[in-house]
Amino acid sequence: MEKEKCNVNQLELFGREWTLFGCQENCRYENGVLSTKDCWVANEGVQLENVDFRFSARAPETASQVDIWASFRHFNREYRYMVGLRGGSHKHLCLARLGAVGYDKMLALCPLEWSAMPGVWYQIQVVCAG
């Protein structure tokens, strides 16, 4: 039974069809806010070339530290780009490319002088050219 809940599922978000990867129980969309834990959604039908997108994200107030990740140019689980905001003992803004085994690459790791705090909303912007 548990396996059925963790299959790849289709759902509608923001007026489009998205694929949910991971446990469906950990994904909730209410009042325009998408909440996930140990899962993610991707719109694999959209090709992002020249793009500028922004989103707001926060870790729950009960989290021990902030660990926010978003992927873009998502081909599949192994091939995508990711941006991450981390707090606590790992105060960084990260940009990475995930590829096949051995081809992952950290493209940027920027140390922050401040620590992202749980419960605080952060505005993140990603700009891609080409």
Side-chain angles (χ1 to χ4, degrees), residues 14 51-57 70 83 122-127:
F14 317 110
V51 66
D52 177 346
F53 71 92
R54 298 173 181 128
F55 64 94
S56 301
V83 61
Y122 293 97
Q123 309 297 313
I124 300 173
Q125 178 178 9
V126 177
V127 179

PDB file of all heavy atoms in Angstrom, residues 14 51-57 70 83 122-127:
ATOM      1  N   PHE A  14      -1.365  25.661 -10.851  1.00  0.00           N
ATOM      2  CA  PHE A  14      -1.192  26.910 -11.588  1.00  0.00           C
ATOM      3  C   PHE A  14      -1.757  26.824 -13.006  1.00  0.00           C
ATOM      4  O   PHE A  14      -1.228  27.408 -13.939  1.00  0.00           O
ATOM      5  CB  PHE A  14       0.288  27.314 -11.637  1.00  0.00           C
ATOM      6  CG  PHE A  14       1.018  27.151 -10.338  1.00  0.00           C
ATOM      7  CD1 PHE A  14       1.983  26.171 -10.182  1.00  0.00           C
ATOM      8  CD2 PHE A  14       0.728  27.967  -9.255  1.00  0.00           C
ATOM      9  CE1 PHE A  14       2.659  26.010  -8.987  1.00  0.00           C
ATOM     10  CE2 PHE A  14       1.393  27.804  -8.050  1.00  0.00           C
ATOM     11  CZ  PHE A  14       2.367  26.829  -7.917  1.00  0.00           C
ATOM     12  N   VAL A  51      14.835  32.906 -19.543  1.00  0.00           N
ATOM     13  CA  VAL A  51      13.770  32.951 -18.549  1.00  0.00           C
ATOM     14  C   VAL A  51      14.210  33.744 -17.320  1.00  0.00           C
ATOM     15  O   VAL A  51      15.389  33.791 -16.993  1.00  0.00           O
ATOM     16  CB  VAL A  51      13.334  31.514 -18.159  1.00  0.00           C
ATOM     17  CG1 VAL A  51      14.442  30.780 -17.444  1.00  0.00           C
ATOM     18  CG2 VAL A  51      12.094  31.524 -17.315  1.00  0.00           C
ATOM     19  N   ASP A  52      13.255  34.364 -16.706  1.00  0.00           N
ATOM     20  CA  ASP A  52      13.449  35.097 -15.457  1.00  0.00           C
ATOM     21  C   ASP A  52      12.256  34.729 -14.582  1.00  0.00           C
ATOM     22  O   ASP A  52      11.131  35.091 -14.898  1.00  0.00           O
ATOM     23  CB  ASP A  52      13.494  36.599 -15.750  1.00  0.00           C
ATOM     24  CG  ASP A  52      13.621  37.456 -14.505  1.00  0.00           C
ATOM     25  OD1 ASP A  52      13.421  36.960 -13.383  1.00  0.00           O
ATOM     26  OD2 ASP A  52      13.908  38.652 -14.658  1.00  0.00           O
ATOM     27  N   PHE A  53      12.475  33.944 -13.543  1.00  0.00           N
ATOM     28  CA  PHE A  53      11.345  33.602 -12.674  1.00  0.00           C
ATOM     29  C   PHE A  53      11.714  33.837 -11.218  1.00  0.00           C
ATOM     30  O   PHE A  53      12.880  33.818 -10.835  1.00  0.00           O
ATOM     31  CB  PHE A  53      10.841  32.179 -12.916  1.00  0.00           C
ATOM     32  CG  PHE A  53      11.748  31.071 -12.455  1.00  0.00           C
ATOM     33  CD1 PHE A  53      11.611  30.536 -11.191  1.00  0.00           C
ATOM     34  CD2 PHE A  53      12.700  30.546 -13.310  1.00  0.00           C
ATOM     35  CE1 PHE A  53      12.429  29.509 -10.770  1.00  0.00           C
ATOM     36  CE2 PHE A  53      13.514  29.511 -12.907  1.00  0.00           C
ATOM     37  CZ  PHE A  53      13.385  28.991 -11.624  1.00  0.00           C
ATOM     38  N   ARG A  54      10.685  34.098 -10.440  1.00  0.00           N
ATOM     39  CA  ARG A  54      10.841  34.405  -9.021  1.00  0.00           C
ATOM     40  C   ARG A  54       9.857  33.561  -8.227  1.00  0.00           C
ATOM     41  O   ARG A  54       8.778  33.245  -8.700  1.00  0.00           O
ATOM     42  CB  ARG A  54      10.538  35.880  -8.774  1.00  0.00           C
ATOM     43  CG  ARG A  54      11.468  36.772  -9.508  1.00  0.00           C
ATOM     44  CD  ARG A  54      11.053  38.223  -9.395  1.00  0.00           C
ATOM     45  NE  ARG A  54      12.023  38.978 -10.176  1.00  0.00           N
ATOM     46  CZ  ARG A  54      11.710  39.837 -11.100  1.00  0.00           C
ATOM     47  NH1 ARG A  54      10.463  40.107 -11.340  1.00  0.00           N
ATOM     48  NH2 ARG A  54      12.648  40.459 -11.773  1.00  0.00           N
ATOM     49  N   PHE A  55      10.242  33.247  -7.020  1.00  0.00           N
ATOM     50  CA  PHE A  55       9.328  32.548  -6.125  1.00  0.00           C
ATOM     51  C   PHE A  55       9.664  32.907  -4.687  1.00  0.00           C
ATOM     52  O   PHE A  55      10.756  33.392  -4.391  1.00  0.00           O
ATOM     53  CB  PHE A  55       9.382  31.030  -6.349  1.00  0.00           C
ATOM     54  CG  PHE A  55      10.710  30.400  -6.038  1.00  0.00           C
ATOM     55  CD1 PHE A  55      10.958  29.845  -4.790  1.00  0.00           C
ATOM     56  CD2 PHE A  55      11.703  30.352  -7.003  1.00  0.00           C
ATOM     57  CE1 PHE A  55      12.178  29.253  -4.512  1.00  0.00           C
ATOM     58  CE2 PHE A  55      12.926  29.759  -6.739  1.00  0.00           C
ATOM     59  CZ  PHE A  55      13.162  29.209  -5.487  1.00  0.00           C
ATOM     60  N   SER A  56       8.702  32.696  -3.831  1.00  0.00           N
ATOM     61  CA  SER A  56       8.876  32.892  -2.402  1.00  0.00           C
ATOM     62  C   SER A  56       8.908  31.527  -1.743  1.00  0.00           C
ATOM     63  O   SER A  56       8.155  30.632  -2.127  1.00  0.00           O
ATOM     64  CB  SER A  56       7.708  33.694  -1.815  1.00  0.00           C
ATOM     65  OG  SER A  56       7.614  34.937  -2.447  1.00  0.00           O
ATOM     66  N   ALA A  57       9.777  31.362  -0.751  1.00  0.00           N
ATOM     67  CA  ALA A  57       9.869  30.077  -0.064  1.00  0.00           C
ATOM     68  C   ALA A  57      10.311  30.301   1.377  1.00  0.00           C
ATOM     69  O   ALA A  57      10.969  31.296   1.689  1.00  0.00           O
ATOM     70  CB  ALA A  57      10.868  29.166  -0.779  1.00  0.00           C
ATOM     71  N   ALA A  70      15.215  24.496  -5.227  1.00  0.00           N
ATOM     72  CA  ALA A  70      14.300  24.531  -6.369  1.00  0.00           C
ATOM     73  C   ALA A  70      15.090  24.136  -7.602  1.00  0.00           C
ATOM     74  O   ALA A  70      16.233  24.555  -7.778  1.00  0.00           O
ATOM     75  CB  ALA A  70      13.709  25.925  -6.548  1.00  0.00           C
ATOM     76  N   VAL A  83      18.898  25.521  -7.502  1.00  0.00           N
ATOM     77  CA  VAL A  83      19.338  26.651  -6.701  1.00  0.00           C
ATOM     78  C   VAL A  83      18.924  26.342  -5.266  1.00  0.00           C
ATOM     79  O   VAL A  83      17.851  25.771  -5.032  1.00  0.00           O
ATOM     80  CB  VAL A  83      18.727  27.987  -7.208  1.00  0.00           C
ATOM     81  CG1 VAL A  83      17.221  27.985  -7.133  1.00  0.00           C
ATOM     82  CG2 VAL A  83      19.299  29.165  -6.450  1.00  0.00           C
ATOM     83  N   TYR A 122      11.554  34.055   1.981  1.00  0.00           N
ATOM     84  CA  TYR A 122      12.653  34.588   1.167  1.00  0.00           C
ATOM     85  C   TYR A 122      12.206  34.653  -0.286  1.00  0.00           C
ATOM     86  O   TYR A 122      11.522  33.756  -0.769  1.00  0.00           O
ATOM     87  CB  TYR A 122      13.903  33.712   1.313  1.00  0.00           C
ATOM     88  CG  TYR A 122      14.463  33.787   2.712  1.00  0.00           C
ATOM     89  CD1 TYR A 122      14.147  32.814   3.652  1.00  0.00           C
ATOM     90  CD2 TYR A 122      15.258  34.849   3.104  1.00  0.00           C
ATOM     91  CE1 TYR A 122      14.623  32.904   4.949  1.00  0.00           C
ATOM     92  CE2 TYR A 122      15.744  34.944   4.396  1.00  0.00           C
ATOM     93  CZ  TYR A 122      15.421  33.966   5.314  1.00  0.00           C
ATOM     94  OH  TYR A 122      15.883  34.063   6.601  1.00  0.00           O
ATOM     95  N   GLN A 123      12.594  35.723  -0.964  1.00  0.00           N
ATOM     96  CA  GLN A 123      12.304  35.911  -2.378  1.00  0.00           C
ATOM     97  C   GLN A 123      13.533  35.457  -3.163  1.00  0.00           C
ATOM     98  O   GLN A 123      14.622  35.974  -2.934  1.00  0.00           O
ATOM     99  CB  GLN A 123      12.025  37.387  -2.702  1.00  0.00           C
ATOM    100  CG  GLN A 123      10.979  38.030  -1.800  1.00  0.00           C
ATOM    101  CD  GLN A 123       9.628  37.384  -1.945  1.00  0.00           C
ATOM    102  OE1 GLN A 123       9.151  37.159  -3.046  1.00  0.00           O
ATOM    103  NE2 GLN A 123       8.993  37.097  -0.831  1.00  0.00           N
ATOM    104  N   ILE A 124      13.356  34.504  -4.053  1.00  0.00           N
ATOM    105  CA  ILE A 124      14.469  33.965  -4.836  1.00  0.00           C
ATOM    106  C   ILE A 124      14.175  34.206  -6.305  1.00  0.00           C
ATOM    107  O   ILE A 124      13.066  33.973  -6.770  1.00  0.00           O
ATOM    108  CB  ILE A 124      14.682  32.475  -4.538  1.00  0.00           C
ATOM    109  CG1 ILE A 124      14.997  32.297  -3.051  1.00  0.00           C
ATOM    110  CG2 ILE A 124      15.791  31.891  -5.416  1.00  0.00           C
ATOM    111  CD1 ILE A 124      15.058  30.870  -2.589  1.00  0.00           C
ATOM    112  N   GLN A 125      15.184  34.685  -7.030  1.00  0.00           N
ATOM    113  CA  GLN A 125      15.043  34.966  -8.460  1.00  0.00           C
ATOM    114  C   GLN A 125      16.087  34.180  -9.221  1.00  0.00           C
ATOM    115  O   GLN A 125      17.251  34.108  -8.814  1.00  0.00           O
ATOM    116  CB  GLN A 125      15.240  36.467  -8.738  1.00  0.00           C
ATOM    117  CG  GLN A 125      15.151  36.815 -10.201  1.00  0.00           C
ATOM    118  CD  GLN A 125      15.314  38.320 -10.446  1.00  0.00           C
ATOM    119  OE1 GLN A 125      15.649  39.083  -9.551  1.00  0.00           O
ATOM    120  NE2 GLN A 125      15.084  38.723 -11.663  1.00  0.00           N
ATOM    121  N   VAL A 126      15.677  33.556 -10.316  1.00  0.00           N
ATOM    122  CA  VAL A 126      16.570  32.807 -11.196  1.00  0.00           C
ATOM    123  C   VAL A 126      16.446  33.409 -12.598  1.00  0.00           C
ATOM    124  O   VAL A 126      15.349  33.571 -13.109  1.00  0.00           O
ATOM    125  CB  VAL A 126      16.193  31.312 -11.232  1.00  0.00           C
ATOM    126  CG1 VAL A 126      17.074  30.550 -12.211  1.00  0.00           C
ATOM    127  CG2 VAL A 126      16.276  30.698  -9.839  1.00  0.00           C
ATOM    128  N   VAL A 127      17.582  33.753 -13.199  1.00  0.00           N
ATOM    129  CA  VAL A 127      17.615  34.307 -14.552  1.00  0.00           C
ATOM    130  C   VAL A 127      18.513  33.409 -15.398  1.00  0.00           C
ATOM    131  O   VAL A 127      19.649  33.144 -15.022  1.00  0.00           O
ATOM    132  CB  VAL A 127      18.170  35.753 -14.555  1.00  0.00           C
ATOM    133  CG1 VAL A 127      18.219  36.296 -15.979  1.00  0.00           C
ATOM    134  CG2 VAL A 127      17.329  36.654 -13.658  1.00  0.00           C
TER     135      VAL A 127
END
